[in-house]
């Protein structure tokens, strides 16, 4: 048996905003745009399975090119719009959402 709770539209909106669902993305001291980084800047990027280290290699008017290191030792490039939102974890820029420290790719430790 499930209990049904009826809420007014104002209560629904307030609950959703407090949960972060409808919260507007306002710039704060812990966010910046990908386009604000310079060539050579390092960041952490969310990939399909894990988080990987990337470097800004080219800045264009409509896209930023990142070189991403894979655990196998190879690199590949991805392109993102310059207005992509980065969050800061201390001084580390992060592109994506989630717990990046738990899912960081394990690179070859021999070197």
């Amino acid at each position: 048996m499930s209990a049904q709770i009826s809420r007014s539209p104002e209560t629904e909106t307030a609950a959703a905003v407090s949960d972060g669902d409808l919260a507007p993305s306002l710039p704060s001291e812990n966010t910046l745009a990908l386009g604000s980084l310079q060539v050579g800047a390092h960041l952490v990027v969310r990939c399909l399975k894990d988080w990987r280290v990337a470097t800004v290699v080219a800045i264009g008017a409509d896209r930023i090119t990142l070189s991403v290191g894979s655990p196998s030792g190879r690199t590949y490039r991805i392109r993102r719009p310059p207005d992509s939102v980065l969050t800061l974890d201390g001084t580390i820029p992060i592109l994506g959402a989630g717990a990046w420290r738990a899912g960081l790719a394990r690179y070859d430790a021999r070197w």
Side-chain angles (χ1 to χ4, degrees):
M1 188 191 291
S2 65
Q4 291 185 352
I5 300 172
S6 62
R7 295 182 183 175
S8 67
E10 293 84 9
T11 308
E12 286 288 330
T13 304
V17 169
S18 67
D19 291 339
D21 293 340
L22 299 176
S25 57
L26 299 174
S28 70
E29 61 190 37
N30 288 337
T31 62
L32 57 122
L34 182 59
S36 66
L37 296 179
Q38 297 178 358
V39 173
H42 297 279
L43 63 146
V44 177
V45 178
R46 175 72 177 149
C47 295
L48 292 176
K49 295 181 180 180
D50 51 15
W51 291 85
R52 298 185 178 177
V53 179
T55 304
V56 177
V57 293
I59 298 175
D62 59 342
R63 65 184 180 195
I64 307 292
T65 304
L66 303 172
S67 177
V68 181
S70 69
S72 67
R74 298 188 180 268
T75 60
Y76 60 94
R77 293 184 176 204
I78 59 173
R79 291 164 184 82
R80 297 290 181 260
D83 59 348
S84 298
V85 177
L86 297 173
T87 57
L88 294 175
D89 185 0
T91 59
I92 303 170
I94 301 166
L95 181 60
W100 71 272
R101 291 181 188 265
L104 189 63
R106 180 171 164 79
Y107 293 93
D108 190 0
R110 294 179 295 171
W111 308 104

